[in-house]
Structure formats: structure tokens, C-alpha cells
Amino acid sequence: MKYNVLLLGSGGREHALAWAIAQSSSLNKLFIAPGNPGTAEVGENVNLSISDFDQVWDFIQDNDINLTVVGPEQPLVDGIANFLETKNHPVFGPKLQAAMLEGSKEFAKEFMQRHNIPTATYKVFDQNNFDEAADYIKEQGKYPVVLKADGLAGGKGVFIPETEAEAMEVLEELKTSDSLKDAASRLVIEEFMIGEEASVFAISDGESYKVIGNAQDHKRIGEGDTGLNTGGMGAYSPAPVVSTGILDRVEREIIEPTISGMKEEGNPYAGILYCGLMITKEGPKVVEYNCRFGDPECQVILPRLTADMLEVIVACTESKLDTVNIDFDDEVKCCVVLASGGYPESYEKGKVITGLDDVKDAILFHAGTKKEGNQILTNGGRVLNVVGSGKDLQTAIDNTYAEVEKIAFDKAYYRSDIGAKGLKH
């Protein structure tokens, strides 16, 4: 069968998904809503509001869509998979109850506690009791401490204050910030875990699962992992810190009990499960779950896959995941994010981007861009993802930065140390 596919989303992750799906021999037509100038090169962008489920459903019917793939977390946490399932329409992405693993930090922590999944110790407070939260932080007296807004905050709801004064400032910001106070109606306070972060991704049909890659993301804006948290400034895959022994433990102690636990509780988890991990002295522990591919980790994982991504997704929606093989090439991929100057705080849009046609030895995934006439302009905080390859990590890093340097726009910013952590291994 040839599939008409609708992919929801507009970022770098969605361009990577569109790029992978477009290579499938099973694809008839690919639509991306709303997409970006990069996705327009591999499919047809359509102007839909992905938060308007009725509008999405009308488009599905009018265009004989056989499968909908959901890129970002918000529609999943809002229940789009449930909505489309009531229409008997195949959708790739977990249902609302399962997506709560990302939608509520408190839900995730309680789930992990019930199923003995290793994670940091924690306590939850609601916004009316931030005075109690302040007292709790002072009583613990351990810094750094981790403060997490319970709800979705676009990757910007986690704070790691290093002093009591900083912690009090964060509490004040979470109470008053227009962009955060809804997400922080409840607050999770966690112990700070010492180790190295990595992400392991699994794909599940609700019954079985397969690991679909691992990566290391670089969340902070500044070199050497300093400064504010961002949606991610770069990534590489595979991550040497995820050794075979560690991966075995991640599967046994984290992925397996998560998939079986969700099924036991009547909320089978079907879709991509992102396990954000801290590799500690005691072993891997969960920092957070996400209910979709990471961004920019997706951009380094999908180019390594030798499997047909559309066929894998279809098998997943048909509960036949155990019939497909997931294999990878033996190259290392490195992704560097070019961002607008000022990101993750205020930044300007509409800067002309030059040099895109000069990038020959890397894959270019668009994130915050728009097209006007023949020009591509900046249209977001994270603008472009440059993904290079190499036989080893150092070669992949060198090849990626050689292509990054060909691209220019006013106040362009990128980190020059993506992947350096992996070289220590």
C-alpha cells in the first residue's frame, strides 16, 4: 500500500521526520502542517492550526490521509491521538493518558515510584504553597537544587539554582512570569543528580518496544554547558556514555518497566518514548520523560537509521512492531543549532540567511525560518540545524562545523563545543 501521510509540526524535529518519511518507498504523498521552508522541499506544507482538531480532521478526510504523525508534545498532551482514534484514523503518537508522562512531572514521578524506576528524590508543591516550597529548600540546604514546572513549558520550565538566593528568585519568577505561571501551577523540587546526561529513545506499539537510538543533547546556551536552559543547542549520536552495559540497564530498569507499567495501568504507551537520563555512579536514572522525539536529538538519530521510517511507524500503529528490524549505519552524526542572537530570551526575527546553497556535505534541517520571495529569513529562536557525519565523533564534529561556517545571518549564534563531552570517552 502507498500512504498519504499528514505530519503535524513546524520545527527542526519535524523537518527531520519529513525528510525520513519522504525517503520511504511506501509513501504516496506527504503533507506537513504547518511545516517550514525546509519541509516544503520534501512534501507539501499546509496551513492548518494543529491545535484545532476539527480542522485537522476535515483535512484528513478531504485529502484521503491514511496516517497522521504527530511531531510536537502539545497536541499529544491535548489528546489529539484520542480524538483521531475515535474517528478510526491511524495516528502515531501516544494518547493523552500516556502522554502525561511528559505533560505532568508529578504524574511521571509518581508513576516511577510505583514501578521502582530509578529517579531523583522529590517533593511537590502547588503555587499557593510556594512559601512552603521556600521553607523546604532552605531546610534541605543542598545546592544546586532542581526546580521543575509541572506542566509543559517548551523546554524552559527547569531551573537549577546554585544558591538559596537564586532559588528564591526562581520561585518568584515562577509565580509571576506570564509564560511560566500556568505550567508552574504545581512545582516539583528534586535532588540534583551528579553524572552525565544522555537520551535513549524507544518506539513502542503498546505491547512491545524497540530502542531507536541514543544521543547527547546540549541544553545550555553557553559554551561548557553554562547559562540559561534552551530547547537544545546541538546533539550527537551515538553517545559513548551510553555503553552497551548502560543500555542494557536502561532497557531492563527503565524502558521495560515503563512500557509494561503503562499497559498494566490501562494506558498502553504507543509512539516514541524519550528517556532523558542521568548516568550516575549508581547507574542510569530518569531525569524526565518526553512523549515524542527530542529536538535536536531527532536530527541526529533519524539520519543514522537504515530502516524505512514510514514502515516502522505503520508497524507501530498496527501493533506489529515486532515484525520490523531497526538498524543503524556505523557513522556518527553531529548536529549544531544556529540560533538568533539573544535566544533563549528576546531576539529579533526577519534576518536574511545566506550560504544555505553552499552546504554540500551536511544535512540542513530548518527550524525557525520563513520564505519571502527567493530569500530565507530567520523566524524563531532556534533557526537551523546542521547535521554532519563521520567515521568517528571527532570527524563528525569537524565536518559539521566546516559546513556551519558557510551560513550567515545578522547576530547568528552557535556553540562551538557541541560533542566535546563525548570526546572524553
Side-chain angles (χ1 to χ4, degrees):
M1 176 177 169
K2 294 278 195 179
Y3 290 83
N4 291 333
V5 178
L6 173 62
L7 169 63
L8 303 182
S10 63
R13 167 183 48 223
E14 286 74 37
H15 187 182
L17 278 162
W19 173 87
I21 291 167
Q23 294 174 53
S24 174
S25 55
S26 302
L27 180 70
N28 180 46
K29 187 139 196 209
L30 173 62
F31 299 93
I32 309 97
N36 63 41
T39 59
E41 293 170 14
V42 292
E44 182 182 323
N45 287 351
V46 288
N47 188 19
L48 286 181
S49 165
I50 63 175
S51 58
D52 185 336
F53 296 174
D54 290 320
Q55 191 183 31
V56 169
W57 176 237
D58 288 344
F59 182 86
I60 286 167
Q61 292 175 290
D62 293 345
N63 293 275
D64 298 322
I65 302 296
N66 310 106
L67 168 71
T68 296
V69 177
V70 188
E73 61 275 20
Q74 192 69 56
L76 292 167
V77 171
D78 290 344
I80 194 163
N82 306 59
F83 173 82
L84 291 175
E85 194 182 64
T86 64
K87 311 286 190 187
N88 295 316
H89 175 74
V91 58
F92 181 65
K95 288 197 280 197
L96 163 64
Q97 297 83 344
M100 287 310 287
L101 282 176
E102 176 170 8
S104 166
K105 303 281 191 299
E106 182 180 12
F107 174 90
K109 290 299 242 184
E110 289 176 351
F111 173 84
M112 285 185 268
Q113 212 167 34
R114 285 196 298 278
H115 296 279
N116 298 312
I117 295 167
T119 187
T121 57
Y122 73 101
K123 195 158 181 183
V124 182
F125 298 87
D126 69 35
Q127 220 164 46
N128 306 328
N129 295 338
F130 273 13
D131 290 346
E132 283 177 28
D135 291 341
Y136 174 77
I137 291 168
K138 289 171 187 171
E139 275 163 31
Q140 297 299 302
K142 285 185 188 166
Y143 302 95
V145 60
V146 182
L147 278 61
K148 293 180 174 179
D150 178 58
L152 295 181
K156 307 207 181 72
V158 178
F159 299 84
I160 307 174
E162 305 212 353
T163 63
E164 183 182 302
E166 278 179 32
M168 298 309 118
E169 274 174 40
V170 170
L171 285 177
E172 198 52 42
E173 185 181 348
L174 290 171
K175 269 197 290 198
T176 56
S177 159
D178 288 338
S179 61
L180 287 170
K181 64 182 178 204
D182 287 346
S185 63
R186 290 178 74 70
L187 177 70
V188 177
I189 299 178
E190 287 184 357
E191 66 163 330
F192 178 78
M193 293 188 284
I194 294 168
E196 193 168 343
E197 282 195 68
S199 315
V200 174
F201 296 84
I203 185 169
S204 173
D205 59 9
E207 292 279 338
S208 62
Y209 75 88
K210 289 179 186 282
V211 171
I212 197 168
N214 68 75
Q216 190 169 65
D217 182 18
H218 297 62
K219 277 267 185 281
R220 302 291 191 110
I221 189 69
E223 310 275 314
D225 292 326
T226 56
L228 294 170
N229 261 340
T230 71
M233 291 303 295
Y236 64 95
S237 177
V241 70
V242 185
S243 62
T244 308
I246 290 289
L247 191 55
D248 286 347
R249 287 189 65 178
V250 171
E251 287 201 50
R252 195 172 63 248
E253 297 171 20
I254 295 169
I255 299 174
E256 214 155 276
T258 302
I259 299 301
S260 61
M262 292 305 281
K263 188 186 164 195
E264 269 168 40
E265 295 187 5
N267 300 315
Y269 192 101
I272 294 289
L273 177 70
Y274 165 133
C275 300
L277 307 171
M278 187 68 75
I279 313 301
T280 71
K281 280 192 303 208
E282 296 85 47
K285 296 184 180 185
V286 177
V287 175
E288 64 176 0
Y289 291 111
N290 289 333
C291 61
R292 36 71 192 180
F293 268 120
D295 182 346
E297 295 103 321
C298 183
Q299 291 88 302
V300 288
I301 285 173
L302 292 187
R304 293 190 62 232
L305 272 187
T306 52
D308 181 313
M309 189 59 189
L310 179 54
E311 287 179 8
V312 172
I313 289 172
V314 169
C316 196
T317 61
E318 294 178 349
S319 301
K320 294 177 184 168
L321 187 61
D322 54 357
T323 66
V324 297
N325 289 322
I326 291 177
D327 297 308
F328 306 92
D329 69 21
D330 51 11
E331 293 224 302
V332 178
K333 309 294 179 195
C334 175
C335 170
V336 174
V337 172
L338 281 86
S340 297
Y343 173 79
E345 298 186 294
S346 63
Y347 53 85
E348 296 169 3
K349 298 181 183 179
K351 310 288 189 185
V352 176
I353 305 170
T354 59
L356 297 181
D357 293 338
D358 301 328
V359 175
K360 303 287 189 230
D361 295 318
I363 310 169
L364 205 51
F365 292 127
H366 288 241
T369 64
K370 66 176 176 182
K371 191 168 187 180
E372 281 187 7
N374 292 323
Q375 292 185 316
I376 302 290
L377 309 180
T378 66
N379 194 41
R382 293 186 295 166
V383 177
L384 291 161
N385 307 266
V386 181
V387 180
S389 304
K391 65 183 190 308
D392 53 43
L393 179 55
Q394 185 65 67
T395 310
I397 291 168
D398 293 344
N399 290 346
T400 304
Y401 279 105
E403 300 300 305
V404 166
E405 284 163 16
K406 296 175 181 177
I407 301 168
F409 54 88
D410 183 38
K411 297 189 177 71
Y413 170 77
Y414 59 88
R415 278 180 57 169
S416 62
D417 64 344
I418 302 300
K421 282 188 286 195
L423 297 174
K424 299 198 301 270
H425 296 274

